[in-house]
Amino acid sequence: MNKQVLIIGYVWPEPNSSAAGSHMMSLLRFFKAQQWQVEFASPAQVTEHMVDLTKEGITSKSITLNCSSFDEYIQALQPDIVMFDRFMMEEQFGWRVDKYAPNALKILDTEDLQCLRNARHEAHKAQRELTVNDLHSDLAKREMAAILRCDLSLIISSFEMQLLEDTYKIDSSLLHYLPFMVDLNSLPQDTPAFEQRQHFMTIGNFRHAPNWDAVLYLQQIWPLIRKQLPKAELHIYGSYPPPKATALHNPKTGFLIKGWAEDALEVMKNSRICLAPLRFGAGIKGKLLEAMITQTPSITTTIGSEGMHLDLPWPGEIANNPQQFADAAVALYCDKQAYQCAQSNAQTILAHVYQKEQLETLLINKINTIAENLAQHRQANFTGQMLKHHTMRSTQYMAQWIEAKNVNKNR
């Protein structure tokens, strides 16, 4: 059947700026491949790096927060599936979808668990270990409520799947493990050999707090690498570099802020090693997947590698303090045999974890099964029904109050 799918985006997709943007595009293309009509709507401002959705055969619509114009829009569209990009969009628009398109299958694309990333950030700022208390924040309660109100939530990391089931006691029938989907047939075949590659690199949207923290951490790590490899350079790429980042650019020490990269895979494949010293965060890391795709070994932390490789050997090294990190980076940079072994590990992980065809088959089967039994599926989720009942009242009245306030203000 030719379904109508509506995606409500937190931001407009920027596949060259962030892993979240890239993941969103793979989902949009997946929906299109089913011969479904796909519309992307967002209350966000348009941006310079956003993708041209019309070239993908996807229609788009600007929508407004706390405004009944969305009610008329969703009523007229009557989508079969609504997918929310992050839980904040479900909070804003979920009750309106329930009211005006009650038969639409509701999917939440979590991207990564915002509550986990936030909890780790708070613990990192306080220079302490993560506690169970951190995981039971108000943000966590909001995010879990959104998951329970939806028919299905897409979870990007195997670690987060376990956390949701074990710590938050979310029923597995509401969750679907979906890491990045990689077309193994279109992997670059001509990646440069060990001898042709030089220097170190990292990449990531500077607006993303874990990425900015990693750049600051590299300020500690890089002198330890440079001491052993005095001619090496570190190339730091990423969209939206702020003045505080460009101020770190230092050709004398080889610490080079390169900013926006037109083609992330191109700059990745010409580097010898990817450095990703992430100290907090969640989900799985686009830069580390791109490293595997381009056969570029990586040095990262336990947080960086989390949920990315099951129990398979990492394609590089995992290190959690500056000296160990630097020593691992230098050793791999100089050892061709270890380097080629890391490249082989990357191929194994891609085949076992990220194979697009297999992941797409599992996803379409899950969506179809729930869609065919939607009433029973919802009935089995009593907590979700209860949350919808209460949330619909509270968020509805809050939104209507804000809308009325805005109307009065504009008079």
Side-chain angles (χ1 to χ4, degrees), residues 7 46 101 105 120 166 175 263 282 309 331-332 345 366 380 390:
I7 292 89
V46 297
L105 173 68
R120 284 177 169 161
D166 296 351
L175 307 174
D263 186 337
H309 60 122
L332 194 55
N345 290 345
K366 187 71 166 265
H390 290 290

Side-chain angles (χ1 to χ4, degrees), residues 302-327:
T302 303
I303 291 275
S305 66
E306 176 187 274
M308 285 202 70
H309 60 122
L310 302 180
D311 293 322
L312 297 164
W314 185 253
E317 291 292 338
I318 296 168
N320 292 306
N321 74 51
Q323 192 63 60
Q324 283 176 352
F325 198 97
D327 291 345

Side-chain angles (χ1 to χ4, degrees), residues 152-378:
L152 184 65
S153 288
L154 307 179
I155 311 302
I156 207 164
S157 142
S158 54
F159 176 86
E160 291 181 7
M161 281 292 286
Q162 198 168 352
L163 183 75
L164 286 165
E165 291 177 15
D166 296 351
T167 300
Y168 297 115
K169 309 300 181 193
I170 304 288
D171 195 280
S172 60
S173 66
L174 300 174
L175 307 174
H176 184 75
Y177 171 53
L178 185 72
F180 293 135
M181 298 182 276
V182 178
D183 182 357
L184 301 186
N185 299 317
S186 65
L187 293 183
Q189 299 299 313
D190 57 341
T191 55
F194 175 81
E195 294 82 5
Q196 295 171 286
R197 295 170 179 250
Q198 57 177 347
H199 304 313
F200 296 85
M201 67 86 72
T202 191
I203 190 166
N205 187 333
F206 283 94
R207 288 179 179 171
H208 189 51
N211 289 336
W212 173 238
D213 178 74
V215 171
L216 296 178
Y217 193 28
L218 280 165
Q219 287 263 287
Q220 294 177 50
I221 295 166
W222 182 244
L224 303 173
I225 294 175
R226 181 82 169 190
K227 194 174 172 184
Q228 300 176 68
L229 296 170
K231 290 186 178 173
E233 294 172 4
L234 172 58
H235 299 180
I236 300 171
Y237 297 91
S239 52
Y240 306 108
K244 63 183 179 180
T246 49
L248 299 177
H249 182 76
N250 189 342
K252 272 189 183 171
T253 62
F255 196 89
L256 309 176
I257 306 293
K258 296 280 192 174
W260 169 256
E262 272 307 321
D263 186 337
L265 295 180
E266 188 63 28
V267 295
M268 181 75 79
K269 77 176 187 182
N270 288 307
S271 303
R272 190 171 287 184
I273 288 178
C274 171
L275 302 180
L278 295 152
R279 294 189 283 189
F280 60 93
I284 57 178
K285 318 305 176 296
K287 62 178 77 55
L288 292 171
L289 184 68
E290 286 167 350
M292 292 185 216
I293 287 169
T294 56
Q295 293 287 287
T296 307
S298 58
I299 316 293
T300 191
T301 57
T302 303
I303 291 275
S305 66
E306 176 187 274
M308 285 202 70
H309 60 122
L310 302 180
D311 293 322
L312 297 164
W314 185 253
E317 291 292 338
I318 296 168
N320 292 306
N321 74 51
Q323 192 63 60
Q324 283 176 352
F325 198 97
D327 291 345
V330 171
L332 194 55
Y333 192 88
C334 301
D335 185 339
K336 183 176 176 180
Q337 195 175 349
Y339 191 91
Q340 289 173 332
C341 179
Q343 289 181 313
S344 172
N345 290 345
Q347 289 176 318
T348 305
I349 293 168
L350 288 171
H352 281 81
V353 185
Y354 300 100
Q355 192 183 4
K356 177 173 174 269
E357 292 83 357
Q358 194 177 346
L359 293 169
E360 285 186 337
T361 300
L362 292 170
L363 178 58
I364 193 63
N365 288 346
K366 187 71 166 265
I367 289 172
N368 286 339
T369 301
I370 293 175
E372 286 160 17
N373 304 281
L374 193 55
Q376 298 95 306
H377 181 77
R378 287 177 174 172

